[in-house]
Amino acid sequence: MKFGHPAVALVGACAWFASAPAAAHAFLDHAIPAVGSTVHESPQSIRLWFTEQLEPAFSHVQVVDASGKEIDKGDSHVDASDASVLAVGVPALAPGKYRVQWRVVSVDTHVTEGDFTFEIKP
Amino acid sequence: MNPALVAARAIHFGASMLVFGEWVFVAFVAGVAWRRAFAASTRTAGLDRHAFVFATAALAASALSGIAWVVLEAMQMAGVPIAQAVANGTVFVVLEKTEFGHLFAWRALLWLALAASLVALRVKPSSRARIGVALLGAGAYLATLAAAGHAAAASDGSVRAMHVGADALHLLAAGGWLGALPPLVYCLMHAPSAQAAARVARRFSVLGIVCVAILIASGIVNSLFLVGSFAALFGTAYGQLLVVKLALFAVMLALAATNRLRLTPRLAADNSSLRSLARNARLELAGGIAIVAIVGALGTMVPGAHRSPRWPFDYALDFTLGDLSAAALALLIACAVFALAAVALIITGMRRSALRLSIPGCIALVVLAAVSTSIFAVPAFPTTFATSPVPYTVDTVSQGAASFAKDCSGCHGADARGDGPLAATLPKKPANLAEHALHHPEGNLFWWIAHGIAETPMPAFSPQIGDDGIWKIVQYLVARASAEAATSIGPRVDTASMSRAPDFGYEIAGEGQRTLAGDRTPALIVLYTLPQSDARLSQLASDHRLVHGKVRVIAIPLPGSPPLPDDAALRAQVEPAIPTIYATFVRAADDRTALHAELLVDANGIVRARWLGVPTNGVDRDAQIVAAAQHLPAHSSMPASMHHGH
């Protein structure tokens, strides 16, 4: 759909409003270890920060190694002091590539999921 | 999108609105005396019975659709089929453990109270107190739906309160208008006399005006939160559906205005307007049902503010008034004056039902709107407002830099200043991207690189380079221009700075990995060369004022310098690309790279202050840094790319 003239874009001569911090689906904001990063020491836990608060009963994360075997401590939980943080403990990890897989439900009921990798290289 | 969920939501919203609107009508439009006269003079069962039957049916529909909503939501949350969601108790986990479930448990109690109040009212229909209780209950039942929507998820408490509040008002106003239409139609069709009909019609239009005013105000607040920009309004599925909703709303408004301005004044004299009035009210109701269906869908979609929009027009509007010429400003004011005149013409035309006045008025308004908007028009592309799917990190910037060196530097120059070896041979000078890149929306840079610039030597690089590859080049250009912008930043906080520091990860022994952006606190990036920086680094390691001032210190060796020894307090492990990229941020105005530099980066990743060289004797640089850190803007959830731009 294309239109020739700007007039079609008129919604009153109000100012271009800035994007406000809005809610909706929980998207991954950032993680430690960072998405796609290489670290030198094994982390003790994997932490994921989301763009909004999560439902603890339906939000989970797991870590698998290169062969697809789950290697985390199975204690995936939403942080008690910050409901937008999801974390899981890991044992001392050997050098190699790992994949973090998450599926979360935001407090307004929307489901999002995704995954990313990180690598340990001493 | 799950059609069953959309339907359950739409029915639940609609039914809750009908219950509320019914009692709004009884309480505010048809007073006790009116209803008594009405009941005495008509052969039908009277409004009280109509309202009771209607509200009971709507309440039943809201219960069924509410249960369906909870079950469908449970299936979706747990990702299981319906049999499993019901059989293994997922529904109860939802009710017990989630905010959505808690809300619906409370609303079930409200539902019981509301049902009881309807029965009580049926027993004694003229009791003002009982009408009041039913109205209050129905209002609470409807308004609490605001907490089930997108509004409830805002992480910032005051934003959430404002958004949920606006949403609740929006629901009440919509319910007060739409839900009062069925009893209005009923009263108009069965009114004992034209005068009686005229009275309800007049009172209803007052209710309508109040509701519409609240709907518009609260609707604007809601769309600011959920859509956020014209780009998202026209360029995302959510926004486009909202445009359809607004168009339907405009049609309903036109119908309501005709009723108010044209048909109602004539009622007493002319009985045929009664039928038109009732027909228009039915059409309004049909529009309302369509809107509620759209609302059912919108709540299940990703709001526009969270999607990368695809701009559908050849132009966009840039409302920076500062750039307007005096002539444009005068034209704008003239347009506003004429627009007022046109509106007056339209209203007069509607009152006198004289199309020869209102039609020219409408045409004039559209022309004036077009003229005044065209003043703000700038060319735009489908990707103009797109947000990069590739993050702004040292990694992506260095990959973009490699592509740039290979494909672009021949014309644009190794430093992107437009002075490549081929530049002199070209009919048109390549742009100095180190200067320009921050002054264009990133989406425009993407478009030009992907599709070239017609009638200039700038070639198209899509599809040889994939979309992600082009976005990486855009990120490189942003870093390159940020580095260029940094040359004019000194030790005083630069509030207008557009220089963005690429994100990166670093490890400090025993603390694990951290990232520049992830901590959402200010950072001092110290780019050092040993041994020149030795004294300054040990000063930083022992000075606790920065720690107390909540400024992280990240020490990075410049290319050519050995790193700090493993046991040094400020020792951070970083990837080799980081020194290379950051070395470009420490050039002096004469292009020479300093051997030591410090960058103060705010919580949003913007370079705000910069010191070149180690401090000279007697200068307390840490005091300057702590003082500067006091003036940095706090973290904002707006992406850094939106801190500037058009």
Side-chain angles (χ1 to χ4, degrees):
Chain A
M1 184 169 64
K2 278 216 155 202
F3 297 89
H5 203 270
V8 279
L10 174 85
V11 184
C14 52
W16 188 282
F17 29 91
S19 173
H25 293 55
F27 296 110
L28 182 64
D29 183 87
H30 67 280
I32 296 287
V35 173
S37 69
T38 302
V39 293
H40 302 269
E41 295 167 20
S42 168
Q44 290 170 345
S45 67
I46 313 294
R47 289 173 76 77
L48 295 86
W49 281 260
F50 287 87
T51 52
E52 69 178 46
Q53 305 194 352
L54 308 175
E55 284 296 355
F58 293 99
S59 301
H60 303 285
V61 54
Q62 61 171 17
V63 185
V64 299
D65 65 15
S67 67
K69 192 164 84 60
E70 181 172 356
I71 47 85
D72 57 68
K73 289 184 174 165
D75 60 348
S76 160
H77 61 279
V78 170
D79 193 300
S81 60
D82 182 351
S84 61
V85 177
L86 185 63
V88 65
V90 286
L93 297 175
K97 275 204 167 164
Y98 297 89
R99 179 172 294 275
V100 180
Q101 299 165 331
W102 51 269
R103 182 183 190 278
V104 299
V105 173
S106 59
V107 289
D108 62 351
T109 71
H110 297 291
V111 180
T112 43
E113 53 194 330
D115 64 52
F116 65 88
T117 56
F118 69 90
E119 187 173 358
I120 300 179
K121 213 193 244 171
Chain B
M1 215 190 292
N2 176 348
L5 182 60
V6 171
R9 283 174 44 94
I11 294 172
H12 194 74
F13 272 97
S16 307
M17 284 179 187
L18 285 178
V19 181
F20 179 63
E22 202 72 41
W23 302 115
V24 168
F25 189 85
V26 168
F28 298 116
V29 179
V32 177
W34 194 93
R35 274 182 287 143
R36 229 175 252 146
F38 181 74
S41 63
T42 121
R43 265 169 289 124
T44 65
L47 180 61
D48 292 330
R49 192 181 133 73
H50 166 88
F52 177 76
V53 171
F54 216 88
T56 312
L59 204 57
S62 90
L64 293 178
S65 54
I67 291 169
W69 186 351
V70 172
V71 171
L72 290 164
E73 209 64 88
M75 291 165 58
Q76 193 159 302
M77 282 188 188
V80 296
I82 184 157
Q84 219 171 318
V86 177
N88 66 10
T90 311
V91 170
F92 294 102
V93 179
V94 169
L95 286 175
E96 198 185 331
K97 295 239 170 101
T98 69
E99 294 199 11
F100 172 81
H102 295 167
L103 178 72
F104 271 69
W106 280 109
R107 292 187 76 246
L109 292 181
L110 259 176
W111 187 92
L112 286 175
L114 188 52
S117 78
L118 290 193
V119 173
L121 186 57
R122 185 67 196 128
V123 174
K124 200 174 166 199
S126 55
S127 158
R128 275 168 203 276
R130 291 184 188 191
I131 292 178
V133 170
L135 185 65
L136 219 66
Y141 188 65
L142 176 59
T144 44
L145 274 177
H150 287 134
S155 35
D156 182 297
S158 58
V159 169
R160 184 166 50 224
M162 207 158 95
H163 192 177
V164 172
D167 222 12
L169 278 178
H170 202 70
L171 283 168
L172 289 174
W177 183 16
L178 287 183
L181 285 169
L184 174 72
V185 172
Y186 176 82
C187 287
L188 290 178
M189 295 312 290
H190 300 283
S193 67
Q195 283 82 355
R199 266 198 61 197
V200 267
R202 263 200 308 275
R203 296 194 63 146
F204 181 82
S205 59
V206 176
L207 171 71
I209 290 171
V210 172
C211 287
V212 165
I214 298 176
L215 277 175
I216 292 177
S218 55
I220 289 176
V221 174
N222 278 344
S223 23
L224 283 178
F225 282 122
L226 290 177
V227 180
S229 66
F230 287 127
L233 188 62
F234 294 113
T236 62
Y238 185 95
Q240 284 160 359
L241 207 49
L242 189 60
V243 172
V244 175
K245 181 185 162 192
L246 290 176
L248 282 169
F249 178 69
V251 172
M252 290 173 66
L253 271 188
L255 287 169
T258 321
N259 280 359
R260 165 75 191 166
L261 297 171
R262 223 180 117 192
L263 297 175
T264 309
R266 288 212 224 140
L267 258 188
D270 161 16
N271 240 336
S272 73
S273 350
L274 192 60
R275 305 214 142 263
S276 318
L277 205 61
R279 184 204 56 208
N280 281 0
R282 285 206 187 95
L283 284 175
E284 274 175 52
L285 192 59
I289 290 171
I291 286 190
V292 171
I294 290 180
V295 169
L298 284 177
T300 67
M301 295 168 70
V302 182
H306 299 269
R307 276 265 181 258
S308 192
R310 207 177 158 76
W311 188 244
F313 309 117
D314 286 346
Y315 293 87
L317 301 178
D318 176 6
F319 288 112
T320 19
L321 287 171
D323 296 350
L324 282 187
S325 65
L329 209 60
L331 187 58
L332 208 60
I333 293 168
C335 280
V337 173
F338 281 118
L340 282 179
V343 169
L345 205 62
I346 295 170
I347 291 179
T348 327
M350 280 179 116
R351 281 204 110 107
R352 302 205 197 135
S353 69
L355 286 181
R356 78 202 136 72
L357 291 183
S358 21
I359 288 180
C362 287
I363 295 174
L365 206 59
V366 169
V367 171
L368 289 168
V371 170
S372 50
T373 352
S374 63
I375 296 172
F376 297 103
V378 293
F381 312 107
T383 57
T384 291
F385 303 100
T387 43
S388 169
V390 168
Y392 182 57
T393 63
V394 164
D395 235 19
T396 57
V397 167
S398 8
Q399 290 172 41
S403 310
F404 188 89
K406 179 168 148 286
D407 290 321
C408 326
S409 57
C411 294
H412 286 282
D415 270 341
R417 290 198 177 127
D419 53 1
L422 295 177
T425 67
L426 297 175
K428 204 156 187 198
K429 204 178 148 349
N432 178 347
L433 299 172
E435 228 168 56
H436 287 195
L438 289 180
H439 297 282
H440 295 297
E442 285 169 22
N444 281 3
L445 298 176
F446 175 88
W447 189 263
W448 287 322
I449 300 168
H451 302 282
I453 300 176
E455 285 148 42
T456 76
M458 172 64 199
F461 286 91
S462 182
Q464 306 92 282
I465 308 183
D467 281 4
D468 276 7
I470 295 178
W471 279 114
K472 284 174 186 168
I473 299 178
V474 170
Q475 300 294 35
Y476 161 72
L477 291 177
V478 171
R480 180 67 202 90
S482 290
E484 197 82 357
T487 50
S488 60
I489 298 176
R492 302 239 337 246
V493 169
D494 183 344
T495 48
S497 168
M498 303 208 291
S499 177
R500 292 169 54 201
D503 193 19
F504 58 85
Y506 60 99
E507 282 172 88
I508 293 176
E511 286 184 23
Q513 192 202 33
R514 297 171 81 174
T515 58
L516 176 67
D519 273 30
R520 297 175 175 177
T521 55
L524 185 75
I525 302 178
V526 180
L527 296 140
Y528 63 84
T529 305
L530 298 182
Q532 288 89 334
S533 304
D534 270 335
R536 174 60 181 150
L537 286 172
S538 47
Q539 187 184 14
L540 277 168
S542 60
D543 190 340
H544 294 291
R545 282 181 292 174
L546 293 184
V547 179
H548 293 144
K550 303 251 184 317
V551 179
R552 284 175 288 159
V553 176
I554 309 171
I556 296 173
L558 281 167
S561 166
L564 281 165
D566 280 348
D567 57 351
L570 289 178
R571 156 92 176 170
Q573 284 218 44
V574 294
E575 294 299 303
I578 299 172
T580 317
I581 298 293
Y582 271 89
T584 63
F585 279 75
V586 303
R587 291 189 194 161
D590 63 5
D591 246 5
R592 252 186 301 181
T593 304
L595 289 177
H596 178 103
E598 296 168 27
L599 306 174
L600 183 62
V601 177
D602 73 15
N604 303 304
I606 310 279
V607 180
R608 293 289 179 184
R610 194 177 79 136
W611 292 263
L612 291 186
V614 292
T616 42
N617 274 344
V619 173
D620 187 355
R621 184 175 288 175
D622 290 351
Q624 290 178 351
I625 293 168
V626 171
Q630 308 294 311
H631 296 104
L632 295 179
H635 174 73
S636 109
S637 35
M638 221 191 282
S641 57
M642 291 194 186
H643 283 272
H644 66 86
H646 263 287

PDB file of all heavy atoms in Angstrom, chain B residues 328-352:
ATOM      1  N   ALA B 328       6.365  29.528   6.126  1.00  0.00           N
ATOM      2  CA  ALA B 328       5.648  28.300   6.452  1.00  0.00           C
ATOM      3  C   ALA B 328       4.816  28.500   7.712  1.00  0.00           C
ATOM      4  O   ALA B 328       3.681  28.036   7.818  1.00  0.00           O
ATOM      5  CB  ALA B 328       6.633  27.151   6.643  1.00  0.00           C
ATOM      6  N   LEU B 329       5.391  29.211   8.676  1.00  0.00           N
ATOM      7  CA  LEU B 329       4.678  29.453   9.934  1.00  0.00           C
ATOM      8  C   LEU B 329       3.425  30.294   9.686  1.00  0.00           C
ATOM      9  O   LEU B 329       2.348  29.994  10.202  1.00  0.00           O
ATOM     10  CB  LEU B 329       5.623  30.173  10.902  1.00  0.00           C
ATOM     11  CG  LEU B 329       5.358  29.898  12.373  1.00  0.00           C
ATOM     12  CD1 LEU B 329       5.500  28.406  12.670  1.00  0.00           C
ATOM     13  CD2 LEU B 329       6.322  30.698  13.236  1.00  0.00           C
ATOM     14  N   ALA B 330       3.561  31.343   8.852  1.00  0.00           N
ATOM     15  CA  ALA B 330       2.422  32.201   8.528  1.00  0.00           C
ATOM     16  C   ALA B 330       1.332  31.385   7.840  1.00  0.00           C
ATOM     17  O   ALA B 330       0.142  31.491   8.167  1.00  0.00           O
ATOM     18  CB  ALA B 330       2.878  33.345   7.629  1.00  0.00           C
ATOM     19  N   LEU B 331       1.751  30.500   6.924  1.00  0.00           N
ATOM     20  CA  LEU B 331       0.800  29.659   6.208  1.00  0.00           C
ATOM     21  C   LEU B 331       0.045  28.765   7.191  1.00  0.00           C
ATOM     22  O   LEU B 331      -1.173  28.581   7.097  1.00  0.00           O
ATOM     23  CB  LEU B 331       1.564  28.806   5.192  1.00  0.00           C
ATOM     24  CG  LEU B 331       0.716  27.964   4.227  1.00  0.00           C
ATOM     25  CD1 LEU B 331      -0.215  28.841   3.429  1.00  0.00           C
ATOM     26  CD2 LEU B 331       1.615  27.167   3.308  1.00  0.00           C
ATOM     27  N   LEU B 332       0.799  28.254   8.167  1.00  0.00           N
ATOM     28  CA  LEU B 332       0.210  27.365   9.168  1.00  0.00           C
ATOM     29  C   LEU B 332      -0.859  28.085   9.978  1.00  0.00           C
ATOM     30  O   LEU B 332      -1.951  27.559  10.231  1.00  0.00           O
ATOM     31  CB  LEU B 332       1.330  26.891  10.086  1.00  0.00           C
ATOM     32  CG  LEU B 332       1.131  25.539  10.740  1.00  0.00           C
ATOM     33  CD1 LEU B 332       0.995  24.469   9.676  1.00  0.00           C
ATOM     34  CD2 LEU B 332       2.306  25.236  11.647  1.00  0.00           C
ATOM     35  N   ILE B 333      -0.546  29.308  10.383  1.00  0.00           N
ATOM     36  CA  ILE B 333      -1.502  30.077  11.187  1.00  0.00           C
ATOM     37  C   ILE B 333      -2.744  30.384  10.357  1.00  0.00           C
ATOM     38  O   ILE B 333      -3.878  30.234  10.821  1.00  0.00           O
ATOM     39  CB  ILE B 333      -0.835  31.364  11.709  1.00  0.00           C
ATOM     40  CG1 ILE B 333       0.263  30.987  12.726  1.00  0.00           C
ATOM     41  CG2 ILE B 333      -1.862  32.281  12.363  1.00  0.00           C
ATOM     42  CD1 ILE B 333       1.172  32.115  13.107  1.00  0.00           C
ATOM     43  N   ALA B 334      -2.524  30.760   9.095  1.00  0.00           N
ATOM     44  CA  ALA B 334      -3.655  31.040   8.208  1.00  0.00           C
ATOM     45  C   ALA B 334      -4.539  29.798   8.085  1.00  0.00           C
ATOM     46  O   ALA B 334      -5.762  29.872   8.172  1.00  0.00           O
ATOM     47  CB  ALA B 334      -3.144  31.478   6.841  1.00  0.00           C
ATOM     48  N   CYS B 335      -3.904  28.634   7.939  1.00  0.00           N
ATOM     49  CA  CYS B 335      -4.660  27.383   7.823  1.00  0.00           C
ATOM     50  C   CYS B 335      -5.521  27.184   9.065  1.00  0.00           C
ATOM     51  O   CYS B 335      -6.693  26.785   8.960  1.00  0.00           O
ATOM     52  CB  CYS B 335      -3.715  26.193   7.682  1.00  0.00           C
ATOM     53  SG  CYS B 335      -3.068  25.979   6.035  1.00  0.00           S
ATOM     54  N   ALA B 336      -4.950  27.439  10.238  1.00  0.00           N
ATOM     55  CA  ALA B 336      -5.692  27.226  11.482  1.00  0.00           C
ATOM     56  C   ALA B 336      -6.918  28.124  11.526  1.00  0.00           C
ATOM     57  O   ALA B 336      -8.018  27.688  11.894  1.00  0.00           O
ATOM     58  CB  ALA B 336      -4.775  27.492  12.672  1.00  0.00           C
ATOM     59  N   VAL B 337      -6.749  29.390  11.127  1.00  0.00           N
ATOM     60  CA  VAL B 337      -7.871  30.332  11.148  1.00  0.00           C
ATOM     61  C   VAL B 337      -8.972  29.875  10.193  1.00  0.00           C
ATOM     62  O   VAL B 337     -10.149  29.796  10.550  1.00  0.00           O
ATOM     63  CB  VAL B 337      -7.379  31.749  10.781  1.00  0.00           C
ATOM     64  CG1 VAL B 337      -8.565  32.697  10.629  1.00  0.00           C
ATOM     65  CG2 VAL B 337      -6.404  32.251  11.833  1.00  0.00           C
ATOM     66  N   PHE B 338      -8.560  29.502   8.967  1.00  0.00           N
ATOM     67  CA  PHE B 338      -9.557  29.060   7.989  1.00  0.00           C
ATOM     68  C   PHE B 338     -10.233  27.769   8.450  1.00  0.00           C
ATOM     69  O   PHE B 338     -11.412  27.558   8.185  1.00  0.00           O
ATOM     70  CB  PHE B 338      -8.905  28.860   6.619  1.00  0.00           C
ATOM     71  CG  PHE B 338      -8.684  30.153   5.895  1.00  0.00           C
ATOM     72  CD1 PHE B 338      -7.417  30.585   5.561  1.00  0.00           C
ATOM     73  CD2 PHE B 338      -9.778  30.957   5.546  1.00  0.00           C
ATOM     74  CE1 PHE B 338      -7.220  31.782   4.908  1.00  0.00           C
ATOM     75  CE2 PHE B 338      -9.586  32.155   4.885  1.00  0.00           C
ATOM     76  CZ  PHE B 338      -8.297  32.577   4.574  1.00  0.00           C
ATOM     77  N   ALA B 339      -9.474  26.920   9.137  1.00  0.00           N
ATOM     78  CA  ALA B 339     -10.050  25.657   9.598  1.00  0.00           C
ATOM     79  C   ALA B 339     -11.178  25.926  10.586  1.00  0.00           C
ATOM     80  O   ALA B 339     -12.225  25.280  10.548  1.00  0.00           O
ATOM     81  CB  ALA B 339      -8.972  24.784  10.238  1.00  0.00           C
ATOM     82  N   LEU B 340     -10.970  26.906  11.482  1.00  0.00           N
ATOM     83  CA  LEU B 340     -12.021  27.263  12.436  1.00  0.00           C
ATOM     84  C   LEU B 340     -13.277  27.703  11.689  1.00  0.00           C
ATOM     85  O   LEU B 340     -14.389  27.279  12.011  1.00  0.00           O
ATOM     86  CB  LEU B 340     -11.542  28.382  13.356  1.00  0.00           C
ATOM     87  CG  LEU B 340     -10.597  27.948  14.480  1.00  0.00           C
ATOM     88  CD1 LEU B 340     -10.172  29.143  15.316  1.00  0.00           C
ATOM     89  CD2 LEU B 340     -11.278  26.893  15.337  1.00  0.00           C
ATOM     90  N   ALA B 341     -13.083  28.539  10.664  1.00  0.00           N
ATOM     91  CA  ALA B 341     -14.216  29.005   9.871  1.00  0.00           C
ATOM     92  C   ALA B 341     -14.923  27.820   9.213  1.00  0.00           C
ATOM     93  O   ALA B 341     -16.149  27.738   9.204  1.00  0.00           O
ATOM     94  CB  ALA B 341     -13.736  29.996   8.815  1.00  0.00           C
ATOM     95  N   ALA B 342     -14.131  26.871   8.703  1.00  0.00           N
ATOM     96  CA  ALA B 342     -14.718  25.712   8.027  1.00  0.00           C
ATOM     97  C   ALA B 342     -15.547  24.890   9.010  1.00  0.00           C
ATOM     98  O   ALA B 342     -16.644  24.428   8.678  1.00  0.00           O
ATOM     99  CB  ALA B 342     -13.615  24.854   7.401  1.00  0.00           C
ATOM    100  N   VAL B 343     -15.026  24.718  10.233  1.00  0.00           N
ATOM    101  CA  VAL B 343     -15.765  23.949  11.243  1.00  0.00           C
ATOM    102  C   VAL B 343     -17.087  24.648  11.548  1.00  0.00           C
ATOM    103  O   VAL B 343     -18.145  24.007  11.636  1.00  0.00           O
ATOM    104  CB  VAL B 343     -14.908  23.777  12.516  1.00  0.00           C
ATOM    105  CG1 VAL B 343     -15.770  23.234  13.655  1.00  0.00           C
ATOM    106  CG2 VAL B 343     -13.749  22.830  12.250  1.00  0.00           C
ATOM    107  N   ALA B 344     -17.057  25.981  11.667  1.00  0.00           N
ATOM    108  CA  ALA B 344     -18.286  26.734  11.928  1.00  0.00           C
ATOM    109  C   ALA B 344     -19.291  26.507  10.803  1.00  0.00           C
ATOM    110  O   ALA B 344     -20.485  26.295  11.041  1.00  0.00           O
ATOM    111  CB  ALA B 344     -17.963  28.224  12.066  1.00  0.00           C
ATOM    112  N   LEU B 345     -18.782  26.490   9.581  1.00  0.00           N
ATOM    113  CA  LEU B 345     -19.637  26.276   8.418  1.00  0.00           C
ATOM    114  C   LEU B 345     -20.299  24.895   8.477  1.00  0.00           C
ATOM    115  O   LEU B 345     -21.501  24.745   8.228  1.00  0.00           O
ATOM    116  CB  LEU B 345     -18.767  26.379   7.156  1.00  0.00           C
ATOM    117  CG  LEU B 345     -19.471  26.769   5.867  1.00  0.00           C
ATOM    118  CD1 LEU B 345     -20.080  28.146   6.001  1.00  0.00           C
ATOM    119  CD2 LEU B 345     -18.478  26.731   4.708  1.00  0.00           C
ATOM    120  N   ILE B 346     -19.504  23.888   8.835  1.00  0.00           N
ATOM    121  CA  ILE B 346     -20.028  22.515   8.891  1.00  0.00           C
ATOM    122  C   ILE B 346     -21.130  22.431   9.947  1.00  0.00           C
ATOM    123  O   ILE B 346     -22.201  21.866   9.708  1.00  0.00           O
ATOM    124  CB  ILE B 346     -18.897  21.518   9.219  1.00  0.00           C
ATOM    125  CG1 ILE B 346     -17.876  21.488   8.075  1.00  0.00           C
ATOM    126  CG2 ILE B 346     -19.469  20.124   9.446  1.00  0.00           C
ATOM    127  CD1 ILE B 346     -16.613  20.717   8.396  1.00  0.00           C
ATOM    128  N   ILE B 347     -20.869  23.019  11.113  1.00  0.00           N
ATOM    129  CA  ILE B 347     -21.867  22.936  12.192  1.00  0.00           C
ATOM    130  C   ILE B 347     -23.155  23.648  11.799  1.00  0.00           C
ATOM    131  O   ILE B 347     -24.258  23.109  11.949  1.00  0.00           O
ATOM    132  CB  ILE B 347     -21.279  23.504  13.499  1.00  0.00           C
ATOM    133  CG1 ILE B 347     -20.186  22.549  13.998  1.00  0.00           C
ATOM    134  CG2 ILE B 347     -22.366  23.667  14.552  1.00  0.00           C
ATOM    135  CD1 ILE B 347     -19.515  22.987  15.258  1.00  0.00           C
ATOM    136  N   THR B 348     -23.023  24.838  11.229  1.00  0.00           N
ATOM    137  CA  THR B 348     -24.221  25.559  10.781  1.00  0.00           C
ATOM    138  C   THR B 348     -24.970  24.730   9.759  1.00  0.00           C
ATOM    139  O   THR B 348     -26.198  24.595   9.818  1.00  0.00           O
ATOM    140  CB  THR B 348     -23.834  26.904  10.125  1.00  0.00           C
ATOM    141  OG1 THR B 348     -22.678  27.409  10.759  1.00  0.00           O
ATOM    142  CG2 THR B 348     -24.965  27.904  10.194  1.00  0.00           C
ATOM    143  N   GLY B 349     -24.213  24.138   8.830  1.00  0.00           N
ATOM    144  CA  GLY B 349     -24.832  23.323   7.791  1.00  0.00           C
ATOM    145  C   GLY B 349     -25.613  22.167   8.371  1.00  0.00           C
ATOM    146  O   GLY B 349     -26.723  21.858   7.936  1.00  0.00           O
ATOM    147  N   MET B 350     -25.047  21.510   9.404  1.00  0.00           N
ATOM    148  CA  MET B 350     -25.724  20.372  10.008  1.00  0.00           C
ATOM    149  C   MET B 350     -26.986  20.813  10.739  1.00  0.00           C
ATOM    150  O   MET B 350     -28.013  20.155  10.681  1.00  0.00           O
ATOM    151  CB  MET B 350     -24.778  19.666  10.967  1.00  0.00           C
ATOM    152  CG  MET B 350     -23.813  18.754  10.244  1.00  0.00           C
ATOM    153  SD  MET B 350     -22.727  17.979  11.415  1.00  0.00           S
ATOM    154  CE  MET B 350     -23.205  16.279  11.210  1.00  0.00           C
ATOM    155  N   ARG B 351     -26.892  21.939  11.421  1.00  0.00           N
ATOM    156  CA  ARG B 351     -28.058  22.446  12.173  1.00  0.00           C
ATOM    157  C   ARG B 351     -29.212  22.732  11.239  1.00  0.00           C
ATOM    158  O   ARG B 351     -30.352  22.400  11.510  1.00  0.00           O
ATOM    159  CB  ARG B 351     -27.680  23.748  12.874  1.00  0.00           C
ATOM    160  CG  ARG B 351     -26.891  23.557  14.129  1.00  0.00           C
ATOM    161  CD  ARG B 351     -27.100  24.771  15.006  1.00  0.00           C
ATOM    162  NE  ARG B 351     -27.907  24.383  16.149  1.00  0.00           N
ATOM    163  CZ  ARG B 351     -27.386  24.260  17.372  1.00  0.00           C
ATOM    164  NH1 ARG B 351     -26.123  24.491  17.582  1.00  0.00           N
ATOM    165  NH2 ARG B 351     -28.152  23.907  18.366  1.00  0.00           N
ATOM    166  N   ARG B 352     -28.871  23.403  10.130  1.00  0.00           N
ATOM    167  CA  ARG B 352     -29.934  23.766   9.188  1.00  0.00           C
ATOM    168  C   ARG B 352     -30.172  22.656   8.174  1.00  0.00           C
ATOM    169  O   ARG B 352     -30.892  22.863   7.211  1.00  0.00           O
ATOM    170  CB  ARG B 352     -29.530  25.034   8.435  1.00  0.00           C
ATOM    171  CG  ARG B 352     -29.251  26.196   9.356  1.00  0.00           C
ATOM    172  CD  ARG B 352     -29.467  27.503   8.618  1.00  0.00           C
ATOM    173  NE  ARG B 352     -28.828  28.586   9.341  1.00  0.00           N
ATOM    174  CZ  ARG B 352     -28.086  29.516   8.767  1.00  0.00           C
ATOM    175  NH1 ARG B 352     -27.908  29.479   7.465  1.00  0.00           N
ATOM    176  NH2 ARG B 352     -27.549  30.468   9.484  1.00  0.00           N
TER     177      ARG B 352
END
